[in-house]
Amino acid sequence: MKKVLVETQIFKPQGLMLTEGKLSGRGNPMVEGILATAEVKNGNGRYYPRELWEREIDKYMESVKENRALGELDHPESSVINLKNVSHNITDMWWDGDKVLGKIEILPTPSGNILKALIENNITVGVSSRGMGSLEDRNGVLEVQDDFELLCWDFVSTPSNPGSYMHLVKEGQTLQETNKYQDVNSIIGEILCANTCTCYLD
């Protein structure tokens, strides 16, 4: 029987603020990373053949080109995208080996503003595909069948497939990263200052 299938990847902003990233043509923050992986058993025990993802990505690219590849914040148990909960729009997708990558524009909607605030505060969220399809158990692996239909990607709180990360799309220049030893030295200095009353200024 056909049912809603949900697959999740970790979304992690790499410790950068959204204001340091590239903005869309409308001035909204952009993020990019892995949306899906074919030919592997995922965290839900499901296996998606590459030809299945290729077919669905080709179809989904029409929504991307028409600027309507919308997704929600949190997964509803529905095959319908609820416009009241829309948080983002996928603006580009491509293959890299067996991985599907994408660029995502965070929209200035109520849900999009919540998503933006979570990312700005380094909260780890998952990016998750939502689709309709049936499964067949093949020696403990649930293979997604040919009736699968991709609906969208949503942002969710509970990741099920660690190891895949997204990051902010940055402008051409490289941002200077904080020296981790400088942070450690600062902490040690504060401890010494508090315990010995001997303080050192930088």
XYZ file of all heavy atoms in Angstrom, residues 37-91:
452
model
N 20.552 10.572 -0.865
C 21.609 9.685 -1.340
C 20.964 8.420 -1.903
O 20.108 7.815 -1.255
C 22.573 9.300 -0.196
O 23.063 10.501 0.415
C 23.752 8.495 -0.714
N 21.362 8.048 -3.108
C 20.827 6.847 -3.758
C 21.754 5.655 -3.513
O 22.915 5.824 -3.130
C 20.690 7.086 -5.264
N 21.214 4.469 -3.703
C 21.987 3.221 -3.689
C 22.606 2.877 -2.330
O 23.590 2.161 -2.267
C 23.108 3.268 -4.759
C 22.615 3.500 -6.181
C 21.864 2.307 -6.760
O 22.095 1.172 -6.313
O 21.033 2.523 -7.661
N 22.042 3.404 -1.237
C 22.517 3.018 0.098
C 21.302 2.776 0.992
O 20.240 3.366 0.791
C 23.419 4.093 0.749
C 24.707 4.281 -0.016
C 22.693 5.407 0.924
N 21.480 1.917 1.998
C 20.449 1.719 3.013
C 20.537 2.889 3.982
O 21.579 3.143 4.564
C 20.693 0.392 3.744
C 19.685 0.086 4.829
C 20.024 -1.236 5.499
C 19.135 -1.497 6.700
N 19.485 -2.770 7.380
N 19.451 3.642 4.121
C 19.489 4.831 4.970
C 19.142 4.505 6.418
O 18.948 3.339 6.784
C 18.593 5.936 4.396
C 17.124 5.558 4.416
O 16.675 4.718 5.190
N 16.348 6.193 3.559
N 19.048 5.556 7.259
C 18.801 5.370 8.680
C 17.452 4.755 8.997
O 17.237 4.249 10.101
N 16.516 4.807 8.060
C 15.209 4.190 8.251
C 15.157 2.764 7.704
O 14.088 2.157 7.659
C 14.117 5.028 7.572
C 13.901 6.357 8.258
O 14.077 6.471 9.471
N 13.544 7.370 7.501
N 16.323 2.249 7.252
C 16.369 0.899 6.700
C 15.830 0.808 5.289
O 15.560 -0.285 4.788
N 15.694 1.960 4.620
C 15.141 1.978 3.266
C 16.232 2.159 2.228
O 17.250 2.795 2.472
C 14.111 3.107 3.129
C 12.910 2.937 4.035
C 11.942 4.090 3.886
N 10.903 4.016 4.909
C 10.342 5.075 5.470
N 10.709 6.287 5.104
N 9.411 4.926 6.381
N 15.969 1.621 1.039
C 16.910 1.682 -0.068
C 16.205 2.286 -1.277
O 15.150 1.799 -1.703
C 17.408 0.273 -0.391
C 18.275 0.168 -1.618
C 19.652 0.357 -1.552
C 17.717 -0.147 -2.867
C 20.446 0.251 -2.677
C 18.506 -0.252 -3.997
C 19.867 -0.059 -3.894
O 20.648 -0.159 -5.012
N 16.789 3.365 -1.829
C 16.251 4.016 -3.018
C 17.174 3.731 -4.197
O 18.321 4.173 -4.203
C 16.180 5.535 -2.823
C 15.088 6.022 -1.903
C 15.219 5.909 -0.529
C 13.933 6.606 -2.413
C 14.228 6.374 0.331
C 12.930 7.086 -1.567
C 13.091 6.951 -0.200
O 12.114 7.414 0.646
N 16.697 3.001 -5.215
C 17.519 2.801 -6.418
C 17.804 4.148 -7.091
O 16.964 5.056 -7.071
C 16.638 1.920 -7.315
C 15.622 1.311 -6.403
C 15.405 2.311 -5.305
N 18.986 4.270 -7.686
C 19.356 5.541 -8.322
C 18.376 5.935 -9.427
O 18.018 7.110 -9.555
C 20.781 5.444 -8.898
C 21.227 6.782 -9.497
C 22.591 6.727 -10.129
N 22.857 7.961 -10.844
C 23.646 8.940 -10.422
N 24.272 8.834 -9.281
N 23.836 10.025 -11.149
N 17.929 4.961 -10.233
C 17.026 5.314 -11.331
C 15.706 5.899 -10.820
O 15.075 6.722 -11.490
C 16.760 4.107 -12.235
C 16.169 2.886 -11.559
C 17.226 1.909 -11.054
O 18.402 2.310 -10.873
O 16.861 0.735 -10.844
N 15.305 5.505 -9.606
C 14.089 6.048 -9.005
C 14.290 7.520 -8.650
O 13.456 8.377 -8.976
C 13.739 5.246 -7.750
C 12.351 5.433 -7.156
C 11.280 5.045 -8.164
C 12.218 4.603 -5.892
N 15.434 7.839 -7.991
C 15.731 9.226 -7.658
C 15.923 10.057 -8.927
O 15.466 11.207 -8.998
C 16.991 9.324 -6.781
C 16.737 9.248 -5.305
C 17.313 8.384 -4.416
C 15.872 10.070 -4.522
N 16.848 8.614 -3.142
C 15.960 9.660 -3.180
C 15.011 11.124 -4.830
C 15.233 10.251 -2.148
C 14.274 11.717 -3.799
C 14.397 11.278 -2.475
N 16.599 9.500 -9.947
C 16.810 10.249 -11.190
C 15.479 10.659 -11.813
O 15.306 11.806 -12.236
C 17.628 9.417 -12.176
C 19.103 9.322 -11.815
C 19.882 8.440 -12.774
O 19.250 7.641 -13.501
O 21.124 8.547 -12.789
N 14.552 9.721 -11.861
C 13.230 10.013 -12.433
C 12.517 11.108 -11.650
O 11.981 12.065 -12.225
C 12.389 8.732 -12.427
C 11.013 8.877 -13.084
C 10.124 7.705 -12.751
N 9.661 7.771 -11.355
C 9.130 6.740 -10.700
N 9.033 5.551 -11.284
N 8.703 6.884 -9.457
N 12.538 10.988 -10.316
C 11.817 11.948 -9.480
C 12.494 13.324 -9.453
O 11.814 14.345 -9.414
C 11.644 11.388 -8.065
C 10.693 10.209 -7.999
C 9.320 10.530 -8.583
O 8.684 11.504 -8.130
O 8.888 9.819 -9.509
N 13.831 13.331 -9.482
C 14.547 14.618 -9.513
C 14.264 15.334 -10.832
O 14.048 16.552 -10.857
C 16.067 14.419 -9.325
C 16.371 13.839 -7.937
C 16.819 15.735 -9.528
C 15.876 14.650 -6.773
N 14.244 14.595 -11.937
C 13.923 15.199 -13.241
C 12.541 15.850 -13.204
O 12.345 16.966 -13.702
C 13.976 14.143 -14.351
C 15.402 13.760 -14.717
O 16.340 14.472 -14.293
O 15.580 12.734 -15.406
N 11.575 15.164 -12.601
C 10.218 15.718 -12.491
C 10.197 16.926 -11.557
O 9.552 17.937 -11.840
C 9.249 14.645 -11.983
C 8.883 13.625 -13.044
C 8.172 12.395 -12.538
C 7.235 12.557 -11.400
N 6.598 11.276 -10.992
N 10.933 16.817 -10.438
C 10.932 17.887 -9.429
C 11.610 19.150 -9.941
O 11.278 20.258 -9.501
C 11.624 17.391 -8.155
C 11.346 18.240 -6.939
C 10.117 18.154 -6.282
C 12.296 19.125 -6.446
C 9.853 18.931 -5.166
C 12.043 19.900 -5.322
C 10.814 19.797 -4.688
O 10.560 20.567 -3.582
N 12.544 18.993 -10.890
C 13.235 20.155 -11.456
C 12.267 21.126 -12.124
O 12.548 22.320 -12.224
C 14.314 19.710 -12.445
C 15.608 19.241 -11.790
S 16.372 20.468 -10.692
C 16.789 21.773 -11.859
N 11.122 20.644 -12.576
C 10.112 21.539 -13.137
C 9.618 22.521 -12.073
O 9.451 23.709 -12.341
C 8.937 20.737 -13.715
C 9.290 19.959 -14.972
C 9.853 20.848 -16.077
O 9.219 21.889 -16.373
O 10.918 20.516 -16.630
N 9.405 22.007 -10.844
C 8.988 22.875 -9.739
C 10.089 23.871 -9.392
O 9.819 25.040 -9.090
C 8.645 22.040 -8.494
O 7.538 21.216 -8.745
N 11.347 23.411 -9.446
C 12.481 24.286 -9.161
C 12.523 25.422 -10.188
O 12.652 26.601 -9.826
C 13.810 23.501 -9.159
C 15.005 24.437 -9.040
C 13.821 22.473 -8.021
N 12.405 25.072 -11.472
C 12.469 26.072 -12.542
C 11.313 27.064 -12.468
O 11.451 28.227 -12.830
C 12.463 25.378 -13.913
C 13.756 24.631 -14.212
C 13.620 23.818 -15.492
C 14.863 22.983 -15.740
N 14.709 22.067 -16.888
N 10.163 26.580 -11.989
C 8.981 27.442 -11.892
C 8.902 28.170 -10.549
O 7.888 28.805 -10.244
C 7.715 26.601 -12.120
C 7.618 26.069 -13.536
C 6.516 25.025 -13.686
O 5.753 24.779 -12.712
O 6.411 24.441 -14.781
N 9.959 28.072 -9.741
C 10.053 28.793 -8.468
C 8.931 28.406 -7.506
O 8.347 29.244 -6.822
C 10.046 30.308 -8.712
C 10.551 31.086 -7.508
O 11.458 30.653 -6.817
N 9.940 32.235 -7.262
N 8.629 27.094 -7.451
C 7.584 26.612 -6.550
C 7.972 25.295 -5.871
O 7.114 24.489 -5.525
C 6.252 26.465 -7.286
C 6.296 25.562 -8.502
C 4.944 25.506 -9.217
N 4.978 24.582 -10.333
C 4.798 23.270 -10.244
N 4.564 22.719 -9.071
N 4.846 22.501 -11.314
N 9.285 25.109 -5.658
C 9.771 23.903 -4.973
C 9.800 24.173 -3.471
O 10.849 24.209 -2.832
C 11.159 23.526 -5.492
N 8.614 24.360 -2.910
C 8.460 24.792 -1.525
C 8.508 23.616 -0.556
O 8.210 22.477 -0.914
C 7.126 25.531 -1.364
C 6.923 26.766 -2.248
C 5.490 27.259 -2.140
C 7.915 27.856 -1.886
N 8.866 23.937 0.692
C 8.857 22.941 1.755
C 8.453 23.587 3.060
O 8.412 24.819 3.184
N 8.143 22.738 4.046
C 7.639 23.228 5.324
C 8.654 23.047 6.450
O 9.626 22.306 6.325
C 6.356 22.479 5.695
C 5.228 22.669 4.708
C 3.950 21.965 5.143
O 3.552 22.133 6.317
O 3.358 21.245 4.319
N 8.368 23.722 7.554
C 9.097 23.519 8.795
C 8.309 22.480 9.580
O 7.161 22.718 9.953
C 9.196 24.829 9.577
C 10.056 24.799 10.836
C 11.509 24.489 10.505
C 9.967 26.134 11.572
N 8.916 21.309 9.807
C 8.295 20.115 10.405
C 7.543 19.334 9.330
O 7.100 19.884 8.330
C 7.351 20.441 11.564
C 8.113 20.818 12.822
O 9.224 20.293 13.015
O 7.595 21.627 13.611
N 7.436 18.038 9.591
C 6.785 17.127 8.649
C 5.312 16.940 8.998
O 5.004 16.401 10.048
C 7.438 15.750 8.717
C 8.393 15.492 7.609
N 8.189 15.877 6.307
C 9.572 14.852 7.608
C 9.209 15.493 5.569
N 10.061 14.878 6.342
N 4.410 17.357 8.138
C 3.011 16.988 8.351
C 2.791 15.559 7.855
O 3.551 15.067 7.027
C 2.256 17.984 7.475
C 3.204 18.290 6.364
C 4.591 18.192 6.954
N 1.805 14.900 8.378
C 1.457 13.558 7.884
C 0.489 13.720 6.719
O -0.639 13.252 6.757
C 0.831 12.725 9.020
C 1.799 12.394 10.126
C 2.977 11.548 9.618
O 2.755 10.646 8.801
O 4.108 11.820 10.035
N 0.939 14.387 5.691
C 0.068 14.736 4.571
C 0.866 14.756 3.286
O 2.074 14.972 3.289
C -0.574 16.102 4.826
O -1.211 16.586 3.669
N 0.167 14.550 2.185
C 0.804 14.640 0.876
C 0.617 16.019 0.261
O 0.995 16.248 -0.887
C 0.222 13.571 -0.061
O -1.173 13.766 -0.225
N 0.052 16.949 1.037
C -0.205 18.307 0.552
C 0.714 19.283 1.276
O 0.879 19.214 2.493
C -1.684 18.702 0.794
C -1.942 20.134 0.349
C -2.613 17.747 0.073
N 1.338 20.205 0.526
C 2.173 21.245 1.133
C 1.259 22.366 1.625
O 0.526 22.968 0.844
C 3.203 21.777 0.116
C 4.145 20.660 -0.305
C 3.999 22.935 0.716
C 5.030 20.999 -1.478
N 1.313 22.619 2.929
C 0.473 23.648 3.553
C 1.196 24.992 3.462
O 2.226 25.192 4.106
C 0.212 23.258 5.009
C -0.789 24.170 5.680
O -0.995 25.308 5.255
N -1.415 23.680 6.724
N 0.663 25.919 2.689
C 1.334 27.197 2.457
C 1.519 28.003 3.742
O 2.436 28.812 3.842
C 0.570 28.024 1.422
C 0.558 27.448 -0.004
C -0.249 28.350 -0.926
C 1.968 27.263 -0.531
N 0.679 27.782 4.757
C 0.825 28.497 6.031
C 2.126 28.131 6.743
O 2.636 28.906 7.541
C -0.352 28.178 6.960
C -1.672 28.762 6.524
C -2.729 28.584 7.601
C -2.975 27.112 7.897
N -4.072 26.921 8.886
N 2.651 26.932 6.460
C 3.855 26.451 7.152
C 5.113 26.497 6.286
O 6.163 26.005 6.700
C 3.644 25.014 7.639
C 2.528 24.912 8.649
O 2.275 25.854 9.391
N 1.843 23.778 8.663
N 5.032 27.053 5.084
C 6.183 27.083 4.175
C 7.322 27.898 4.782
O 7.110 28.984 5.311
C 5.767 27.653 2.796
C 6.979 28.087 1.993
C 4.959 26.622 2.033
N 8.541 27.343 4.706
C 9.716 28.016 5.280
C 10.815 28.276 4.256
O 11.691 29.099 4.496
C 10.296 27.186 6.428
O 10.676 25.897 5.969
N 10.782 27.567 3.124
C 11.910 27.652 2.191
C 11.494 27.232 0.789
O 10.422 26.660 0.581
C 13.053 26.754 2.683
C 12.658 25.323 2.777
N 11.982 24.808 3.863
C 12.819 24.278 1.919
C 11.747 23.516 3.670
N 12.231 23.176 2.492
N 12.402 27.527 -0.151
C 12.194 27.185 -1.558
C 13.520 26.680 -2.125
O 14.565 27.317 -1.933
C 11.735 28.432 -2.324
C 11.467 28.151 -3.786
O 10.854 27.153 -4.126
N 11.935 29.036 -4.655
N 13.511 25.531 -2.783
C 14.729 24.999 -3.401
C 14.930 25.698 -4.738
O 14.033 25.720 -5.583
C 14.646 23.476 -3.580
C 14.566 22.801 -2.217
C 15.853 22.944 -4.362
C 14.403 21.295 -2.251
N 16.116 26.293 -4.929
C 16.365 27.085 -6.133
C 17.245 26.376 -7.155
O 17.317 26.800 -8.299
C 17.023 28.429 -5.767
O 18.287 28.175 -5.135
C 16.136 29.232 -4.833
